[in-house]
Amino acid sequence: MQAIQIEAFGNPAEVLKVVDIPDVGVPTEGEVVIALEASPINMSDLLMIAGRYGYRPKLPSVMGTEGVGRVIAVGSGVTHLKQGDRTLVPYPAPAWAERIKVDASRLRPLPGGDVHQLAMLGINPPTAFLMLTDFVTLPSGFWVIQNSANSGVGRALIAIAKSLGLRTVNVVRRDDVVAEIKAIGGDVVLVDGPDLAKRVAAETGNARIALAVDGVADTSTMNLLGCLAETGLLVFYSAISGKPFVGAAQHLIFRDISIRGFWLANWFNAAKPDQITQMYDRLTPLVASGAISTPIAGTYRFAEIAEAVAVASKNRGKALLTVG
């Protein structure tokens, strides 16, 4: 069967290769085989391929960390899935292969919906959900602020916050996306800048903001810290700017603000299967209904991986690999 793998870390356009590998074979007890339908190329995938991510897979390695497909074979003891069910490729199983054999314990059948959007259920919506719920308890009506609001995580956070009764301040870096982020439900949408705190206070009526979600770093961190109330918390999940964060120590010292990091892989390593399935049970309807939706820049076959990577690298919508 075909798969996309690397034999060395480096420029994704150069090191990703379509190869023939042995088929996965029949599932053993507790396993299923999934025929891949679609899988996105995330920025985290590109960083991993370049050797610049939080861990390096053992080489050679089939790449990709999420996706969706049809169950084509079921091992003994699996009663909650059957052949023909659509289900997730569980994060972070290598997804860029025609067929994937995985443990079925945390998988469930997916409802009808856009297969391309369902393919992006595995990583960004959980990241947004857990940052909203695992660090602080925000009562209904409270505000949360985020930068990178135009990203997959940012768009998911808007919908999830709304489902939790929370209001969002959404910080973007381009004027041309302001109207779009408002249209998908962002309560306040502002372009980043050094006077962000003043504009946020004016837009929210000086509301107390206890949580900031940072996916950018650089000086954007400083701007978010200025918007937080005393004892507030800023959570990092990415640094899309590629630069170290900039922040004034005074915010941490005199206003007792805290900074934390979040990596979905760590949460999955510690979570029990029922915690994972309960989370996806909550998030799946939001994706299936279209409440959570990520722009798609294009769909590509495995043989078009170089073109797909070029599109994904621009970070202007997801590039998806498709099979079938």
Side-chain angles (χ1 to χ4, degrees), residues 83-157:
Q83 289 187 27
D85 283 342
R86 176 173 284 152
T87 193
L88 292 179
V89 176
Y91 173 83
W96 296 347
E98 290 182 296
R99 289 171 290 281
I100 307 104
K101 184 168 65 173
V102 294
D103 179 89
S105 61
R106 69 187 203 215
L107 300 181
R108 294 294 182 270
L110 293 174
D114 184 335
V115 64
H116 295 152
Q117 294 298 327
L118 289 170
M120 297 181 282
L121 168 59
I123 295 178
N124 288 342
T127 297
F129 176 75
L130 292 166
M131 288 190 295
L132 286 172
T133 59
D134 266 22
F135 291 93
V136 296
T137 300
L138 297 176
S140 179
F142 270 49
W143 289 85
V144 58
I145 186 169
Q146 65 163 337
N147 58 21
S148 196
N150 189 41
S151 68
V153 171
R155 288 167 178 266
L157 188 144

Side-chain angles (χ1 to χ4, degrees), residues 268-292:
F268 268 100
N269 287 337
K272 297 178 180 179
D274 62 334
Q275 291 177 288
I276 295 170
T277 55
Q278 288 170 14
M279 177 184 67
Y280 280 121
D281 284 346
R282 179 153 195 167
L283 296 175
T284 299
L286 294 174
V287 176
S289 69
I292 295 175

Side-chain angles (χ1 to χ4, degrees), residues 4 12-13 16 36 38-50 63-68 95-96 116 119-120 123-124 152 240 294-322:
I4 299 173
L16 284 169
L36 183 70
S39 174
I41 301 176
N42 294 310
M43 289 305 298
S44 56
D45 294 317
L46 299 180
L47 290 171
M48 192 183 306
I49 293 161
M63 301 308 295
T65 47
E66 67 172 331
V68 70
W96 296 347
H116 295 152
M120 297 181 282
I123 295 178
N124 288 342
I240 195 65
T294 302
I296 296 171
T299 59
Y300 305 88
R301 300 293 185 173
F302 278 9
E304 301 170 308
I305 182 60
E307 182 182 353
V309 164
V311 171
S313 299
K314 295 177 181 178
N315 206 27
R316 297 292 180 95
K318 292 286 187 180
L320 272 77
L321 298 168
T322 59

